[in-house]
Amino acid sequence: MNAEDLRSKTIDELAKIILDLRKEQFNARFQKAQGSLENTAQIRKNRRDIARAKTILNNKRREENASGKKAA
């Protein structure tokens, strides 16, 4: 998932994406503990995608708050 795709999403969509990524991360960690995870790089990719999505989400929330305070 790249940053350009995430920037085009709304705040609610980003929150849902983060939730889905966290579920994937949990499942991957569980599979790793059982020894059935084939692609170990998936854990690292999920962690970075979550961080990327959270960064963009925080930026969008900050912009929304800043624009709301200026208009008021």
Side-chain angles (χ1 to χ4, degrees):
M1 183 161 300
N2 63 19
E4 289 180 22
D5 292 341
L6 292 173
R7 285 190 186 102
S8 66
K9 305 288 186 192
T10 65
I11 291 176
D12 292 334
E13 290 173 333
L14 285 170
K16 183 177 180 337
I17 288 171
I18 292 170
L19 182 65
D20 292 341
L21 287 169
R22 285 188 181 208
K23 287 179 183 179
E24 285 180 31
Q25 182 184 32
F26 174 79
N27 290 333
R29 285 193 324 233
F30 196 82
Q31 288 177 359
K32 182 181 177 190
Q34 289 180 330
S36 63
L37 182 65
E38 293 181 14
N39 185 8
T40 56
Q42 187 65 34
I43 294 173
R44 183 177 183 182
K45 182 182 177 301
N46 283 348
R47 188 176 66 234
R48 289 183 176 185
D49 285 344
I50 290 168
R52 188 175 295 119
K54 286 177 75 173
T55 300
I56 293 171
L57 177 63
N58 287 333
N59 287 341
K60 283 185 176 274
R61 285 183 176 161
R62 193 175 308 123
E63 288 174 4
E64 186 179 86
N65 287 341
S67 66
K69 289 180 181 176
K70 288 180 183 177

